[in-house]
């Protein structure tokens, strides 16, 4: 007879009545603030203070907590049910393609596009029809591979987490796949947008199991955000 | 020089289950099966491996990409290691038991193996426990499956169960009646699966309006049915929605306290389903505890319904087992005393040699009590 130390159930989620809303930090958070306030959420002031080291914030709703994480991590927190709700760009959703995430609402902020760019001097002499293989620097290896595979081109991805625009000029590769908002960063680095992969905007995302097991509460928050978007 | 592999390392997605968790899982499986048996379901036990052609035909086609294959040196044919048991039970029903009276009620429990896990569900081997009800395609059969799943899970201690009812053939019926092309229908289905209202709206036209309205009906069962009722669905799609409504009525009549939600547009994981489907969730538990629904054996064969519980998730949803009582019998305890104590319900652990202080020895090996001079003494 062996009595073993009992393993704690890592699969069990937080079993309380709280809801967690995961927000991406950075520029998009500023764009989200008016929307939050129209949805009746007043976060404590530290949320918009980018110098604050805190990661979780209370709101005027005792049952609603906000967390501030990297945009890619919003999808992971929501997919695993660590946060019931979140805000993530559809670039992030396309990259991960988690079946546990529902994206019921386009928040219509954080608009930009996911595009392929290459050096200006390359554009003239380049015939995409002849490609069988490209090397691309990107934060989105899965989307990039899928996009090129659909046109019969194998994409070798160099995964970077920032400053993609430097890669072509330093000879790391000739093309990049990245988010483009105004195109100024591309231009400053001698790059031109050659193809558009997808239009991007921020989405309200919810965890599938949370929506099914708490349809009224989670559904009510989706509705509030819908009204907030419509009022904009 | 490569370092030799650490012996404890298992391939990804595989694990050793240790005491007390292994016996806990076995006890839960037994209780589930006993619940199915009490409703007249007879247990079948198909083999682990079958010929690929039969394992992956019909409803099994959906598991093709998840199935390990190996070559049978005897018959020189390809075999598949089951990634799902439903298709095996359906095969049994249509071959060996084709003469058995309908409705035919079968249950099963066994392990399955899959080529890859997902990030959220990394297990490649896990237990499946379930039932199949082969026979007439009537709403009462669908309701029986839903109710039995709910009853079995509550009986093993799953709290706050939540059942999501789906109509996996509704959207395909709707797309066909609206004469959508295959590609457009596929894009719409993906958007519907993600509940991406913006993407659905982007499709434009009457289709988008109808599907958008359908998407918005998802929610608690009663409210959802009312909303569905108000939609002006084409004939076939309306029939699918009607089916769903009858099943909900039957389920709620039998178990009014059951938490039911409806999601008419969910189609993921229902690749081979032809009627009402359902997914089992529990409050605060990641992922699905199980799923079920109406299908046809062998693709076009007999109507059937059933469900499968995923034991990895079910066990995660249950509280950890209470550590049991165990009584240490020091070396030299008469054999008859041991027999008597076990008959009284004690778990006894015998000392194999003289070991000094029996209390200390009992504590060392994890017993809660020691048998000292004919008396049961707690050691904590």
């Amino acid at each position: 007879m062996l009595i073993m130390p009992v393993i704690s159930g890592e699969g069990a989620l937080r079993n309380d009545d709280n809801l967690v809303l995961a927000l991406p930090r950075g520029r998009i958070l500023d764009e989200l603030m008016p929307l939050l306030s129209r949805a009746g959420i007043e976060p404590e002031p530290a949320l918009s203070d980018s110098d604050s080291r805190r990661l979780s914030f209370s709101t005027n709703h005792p049952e609603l907590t906000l967390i501030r994480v990297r945009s890619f991590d919003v999808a992971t927190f929501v997919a695993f049910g660590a946060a019931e709700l979140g805000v993530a760009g559809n670039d992030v959703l396309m990259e991960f393609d988690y079946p546990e995430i529902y994206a019921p609402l386009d928040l219509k902020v954080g608009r930009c596009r996911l595009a392929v760019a290459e050096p200006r001097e390359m554009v003239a002499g380049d015939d995409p029809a002849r490609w069988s293989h490209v090397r691309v620097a990107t934060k989105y290896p899965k989307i990039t591979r899928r996009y090129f595979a659909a046109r019969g081109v194998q994409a070798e991805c160099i995964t970077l987490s920032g400053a993609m625009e430097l890669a072509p000029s330093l000879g790391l590769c000739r093309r990049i796949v990245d988010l483009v908002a105004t195109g100024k960063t591309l231009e400053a680095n001698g790059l031109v947008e050659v193809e558009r992969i997808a239009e991007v905007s921020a989405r309200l995302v919810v965890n599938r199991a949370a929506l099914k097991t708490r349809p009224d509460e989670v559904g009510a928050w989706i509705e509030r955000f819908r009204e907030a978007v419509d009022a904009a | 020089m490569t370092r030799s592999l650490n012996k404890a390392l298992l391939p990804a997605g595989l694990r050793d289950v240790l005491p007390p968790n292994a016996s806990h899982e076995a006890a839960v499986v037994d209780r589930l099966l006993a619940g199915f048996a009490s409703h007249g379901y007879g247990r079948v036990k198909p083999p682990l491996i079958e010929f690929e052609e039969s394992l992956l035909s019909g409803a099994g086609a959906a598991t093709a990409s998840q199935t390990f294959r190996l070559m049978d040196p005897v018959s020189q044919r390809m075999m598949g290691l089951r990634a799902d048991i439903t298709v095996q039970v359906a095969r049994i029903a249509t071959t060996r038991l084709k003469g058995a009276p309908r409705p035919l009620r079968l249950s099963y429990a066994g392990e399955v193996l899959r080529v890859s896990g997902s990030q959220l569900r990394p297990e490649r081997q896990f237990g499946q426990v379930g039932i199949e009800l082969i026979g007439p395609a009537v709403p009462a059969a669908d309701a029986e499956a839903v109710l039995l799943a709910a009853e079995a899970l509550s009986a093993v201690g799953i709290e706050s169960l939540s059942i999501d009812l789906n109509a996996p053939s509704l959207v395909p019926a709707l797309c066909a009646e609206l004469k959508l092309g295959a590609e457009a229908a596929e894009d719409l289905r993906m958007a519907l699966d993600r509940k991406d209202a913006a993407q659905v709206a982007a499709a434009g036209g009457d289709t988008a309006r109808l599907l958008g309205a359908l998407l918005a009906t998802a929610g608690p069962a009663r409210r959802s049915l009312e909303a569905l009722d108000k939609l002006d669905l084409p004939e076939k799609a309306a029939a699918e929605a009607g089916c769903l409504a009858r099943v909900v009525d039957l389920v709620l009549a039998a178990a009014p306290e059951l938490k039911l939600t409806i999601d008419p547009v969910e189609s993921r994981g229902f690749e081979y389903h032809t009627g009402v489907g359902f997914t089992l969730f529990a409050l605060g538990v990641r992922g699905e505890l199980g799923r079920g629904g109406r299908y046809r054996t062998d693709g076009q064969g007999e109507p059937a319904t059933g469900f499968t519980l995923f034991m990895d998730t079910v066990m995660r949803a249950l509280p950890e087992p209470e550590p049991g009582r165990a009584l240490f019998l020091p070396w030299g305890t008469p054999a008859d005393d041991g027999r008597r104590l076990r008959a009284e319900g004690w778990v006894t652990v015998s000392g194999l040699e003289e070991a000094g202080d029996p209390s200390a020895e009992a504590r060392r090996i994890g017993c809660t009590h020691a048998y000292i001079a004919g008396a049961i003494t707690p050691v904590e």
Side-chain angles (χ1 to χ4, degrees), chain B residues 8-66:
Chain B
L9 181 69
L10 295 171
L14 302 177
R15 64 198 300 189
D16 294 322
V17 186
L18 304 181
N21 303 72
S23 59
H24 186 215
E25 180 174 337
V28 171
V29 170
D30 282 348
R31 255 180 295 161
L32 290 169
L33 287 169
F36 302 157
S38 74
H39 283 267
Y41 285 79
R43 184 167 176 185
V44 291
K45 189 184 168 201
L48 275 176
I49 302 181
E50 291 191 22
F51 289 123
E52 189 188 16
E53 295 125 80
S54 56
L55 192 63
L56 304 184
S57 67
T63 63
S65 64
Q66 281 291 1

Side-chain angles (χ1 to χ4, degrees), chain A residues 57-139:
Chain A
F57 307 88
S58 61
T59 66
N60 56 329
H61 301 270
E63 76 288 356
L64 184 72
T65 307
L66 307 181
I67 58 170
R68 191 174 68 185
V69 297
R70 295 172 65 120
S71 63
F72 272 61
D73 296 342
V74 169
T76 309
F77 273 85
V78 175
F80 281 81
E84 285 78 13
L85 298 148
V87 174
N90 54 323
D91 53 328
V92 175
L93 301 178
M94 283 164 71
E95 178 66 14
F96 287 119
D97 203 16
Y98 283 121
E100 294 300 308
I101 291 185
Y102 286 155
L105 187 61
D106 186 349
L107 297 175
K108 301 183 180 168
V109 295
R111 283 183 194 278
C112 53
R113 52 197 187 270
L114 192 61
V116 187
E118 56 184 39
R120 196 176 299 120
E121 59 277 14
M122 220 173 90
V123 177
D126 198 20
D127 178 5
R130 301 177 74 118
W131 297 346
S132 66
H133 167 271
V134 291
R135 193 196 286 165
V136 186
T138 183
K139 224 177 358 177

